[in-house]
Amino acid sequence: MTLRTGGRILVDQLRIHGIGRLTCVPGESYLAALDAMHDADIDVLVCRHEGGAAMMAEAYGKLTGRPGICFVTRGPGAMNAAHGVHIAQHDSTPMILFIGQVERAALGRGAFQEMDYEAVFGSVAKWVVEVHDARRLPEIVARAFATAMQGRPGPVVVSLPEDVLTDTVEVTDSSVITPVKSQLSIDQFERFQSLLLASKRPVMVLGGSGWSDEGCAAIADFAARFKLPVATEFRRAPLFPALHTSYAGDLGFGQNPKLSQRVKDADLLILLGARMSEVPSNHYTLIDRQALVHIFPDPSEIGKVYRPALGIVCSSDEFARSMAWMKAPLDLPWYLQTENAHMDYLAWTGRPPQVPGDFQYGEVMVWLRDHLPADTIICNGAGNYAIWVHRYWRHTRPNTLVAPTSGSVGYSVPAGVMAKRQCPDRSVVVFAGDGCFLMHGNEFATAVQYDIPVIVVVIDNGMYGTIRMHQEREYPHRVVGTDLRNPDFAAFARAFGGHGETVRKTEEFAPAFERARASGKPSIIHCFLDPQAITPARTLDQVAAGN
Ligand SMILES: Cc1ncc(C[n+]2csc(CCOP(=O)(O)OP(=O)(O)O)c2C)c(N)n1
Ligand SMILES: [Mg+2]
């Protein structure tokens, strides 16, 4: 055994657990860990804000199923990163946030930038730990990986006192962590089968994280054999192919009312990996009398909000695989309902209605879906601009959406930077509102610094549109705190060293997009959307008038 610094031991563990990429904003509190990264085979992305760095790490977790790793400094760095930890919690994403901490001898004195991370992150992270002995780093890092990935995945926060990282000790490395997956028992399989076969109007809802491509393929096969109508939860649309004859649509903001009704009218609701939290359940109004089968990888979610007829602790992937053993009967009474559900979905996402102004956002989305490859990765944050994205983009492959179920404004650019870094051969298109873009648009500098040619479509309606919509509905014509005066985003792109385009009319979009793609640079396409076009179906004036 050789003597190593705590920093070196830590970085060696990350490599052992398969980490080849991480994000950071530097701080003097963890210099010894940074120094160990100097010689390690690891892609270190230095970011402009810890919120962006943490969101990039979270996006890595979404894309790979392994924890996204982010290093930040104590106090202010940790607080800036908190937003990413909250996303990882709500989106069930494996992530580990490493925070530099004051040295052990100073702990508890209110030393420079000191914080109590257990108190601060205790209700957000799955586990918060402070390392007090460099010899325990392999054990603690391995447990952080296991905790982040097992059961319902989520964030772990590890506090690293500065002198733990500079200590030199002898210790054995950990071995790689493979998350334990829960399985379906024969008894549960049979009970599920009898509930399904006794039902007349079943609906399956897919959601959650931790799905593999094989798991998605297995559930698509099961749905095809049983002709089951399948919906996806808010921002989980890629779990099921949009053009599969069983696809009924997604349960996000601005749900297809026919789909909401179909879920309400079901006599059996199969929640697979889904939690049916506030957004997909339409403010907890969709689930009432249906018999529920709730399959979730963690018992703490089963029976938490709803009372299932059958609760099964099982990973979504394993459940999907087990369905290969279930034989479909010849007579499936719900067959026609499934056909109708899919027709409803196709109609809902077909020709977009006209909105006010020269920029027809829906038509632009349809052009993109007709011209981009099926494995394109779509990234967005939160805002009404995302309604068009989710409604008109049809995901036909797994893992093609990186978007926050937590409704985090600002997520779009960091997510896109990580997606394109992680998948350089795939198209990555980021959608951001004018509000969303300027929360973490500074990470466009990170895209330029590392030559990450992500394409960002900024939808500029001159306001925090979602909040304006709520404001006009609740307090008509009393606008306060929701107007935005924006910069020239195309000039912003050029100032950062990227490619910029300005689009005022629908027909300008396609050539602008092609030029952005051909530039090979990180690009911003600044699109002006009429502020009246607040949703695909309603104008702001209609909202204010209560229509
Ligand atoms: C970090 C964060 N801050 C505030 C909000 C509240 N919020 C939700 S949507 C929204 C407006 C986003 O504006 P924009 O990106 O311009 O999108 P638009 O709704 O105008 O299309 C705001 C402020 C939030 N969800 N997250
Ligand atoms: Mg806006």
Side-chain angles (χ1 to χ4, degrees), residues 415-449:
V417 172
M418 178 52 82
K420 187 65 179 169
R421 182 65 160 189
Q422 193 61 24
C423 309
D425 299 331
R426 290 166 68 180
S427 295
V428 174
V429 181
V430 172
F431 293 89
D434 43 345
C436 191
F437 180 82
L438 274 185
M439 274 203 198
H440 285 292
N442 52 358
E443 300 304 347
F444 192 74
T446 311
V448 172
Q449 178 161 345

Side-chain angles (χ1 to χ4, degrees), residues 254-450:
Q255 300 180 355
N256 181 353
K258 288 189 175 172
L259 175 59
S260 315
Q261 196 57 45
R262 198 172 288 284
V263 172
K264 272 187 174 173
D265 291 344
D267 63 353
L268 179 73
L269 208 49
I270 306 154
L271 306 183
L272 176 51
R275 293 191 298 123
M276 282 301 256
S277 58
E278 186 174 357
V279 177
S281 68
N282 215 349
H283 307 287
Y284 299 103
T285 61
L286 295 192
I287 299 188
D288 185 9
R289 278 189 297 271
Q290 309 93 323
L292 276 190
V293 177
H294 197 177
I295 307 116
F296 201 82
D298 196 314
S300 62
E301 286 298 323
I302 299 174
K304 181 169 162 182
V305 182
Y306 308 106
R307 281 144 300 282
L310 174 61
I312 300 175
V313 180
C314 182
S315 85
S316 304
D317 254 14
E318 291 303 314
F319 184 88
R321 270 187 247 272
S322 305
M323 290 305 102
W325 302 104
M326 198 174 281
K327 281 218 166 61
L330 286 177
D331 180 32
L332 294 163
W334 54 78
Y335 168 45
L336 276 177
Q337 298 163 29
T338 307
E339 280 194 350
N340 289 339
H342 187 57
M343 299 300 277
D344 288 348
Y345 166 74
L346 291 178
W348 179 248
T349 58
R351 271 272 123 237
Q354 287 276 312
V355 293
D358 292 335
F359 180 76
Q360 293 300 316
Y361 187 12
E363 284 179 30
V364 163
M365 283 310 305
V366 170
W367 182 84
L368 285 167
R369 90 176 173 207
D370 287 346
H371 288 84
L372 290 180
D375 68 351
T376 298
I377 300 176
I378 301 292
C379 303
N380 63 266
N384 270 32
Y385 72 88
I387 295 176
W388 278 264
V389 179
H390 300 318
R391 179 150 163 192
Y392 295 109
W393 186 266
R394 289 173 176 161
H395 294 271
T396 53
R397 304 271 177 89
N399 225 350
T400 50
L401 177 65
V402 187
T405 72
S406 60
S408 291
V409 172
Y411 182 76
S412 47
V413 174
V417 172
M418 178 52 82
K420 187 65 179 169
R421 182 65 160 189
Q422 193 61 24
C423 309
D425 299 331
R426 290 166 68 180
S427 295
V428 174
V429 181
V430 172
F431 293 89
D434 43 345
C436 191
F437 180 82
L438 274 185
M439 274 203 198
H440 285 292
N442 52 358
E443 300 304 347
F444 192 74
T446 311
V448 172
Q449 178 161 345
Y450 295 97

Side-chain angles (χ1 to χ4, degrees), residues 522-534:
S523 304
I524 295 176
I525 305 177
H526 183 178
C527 303
F528 287 89
L529 178 66
D530 191 307
Q532 279 298 324
I534 196 66

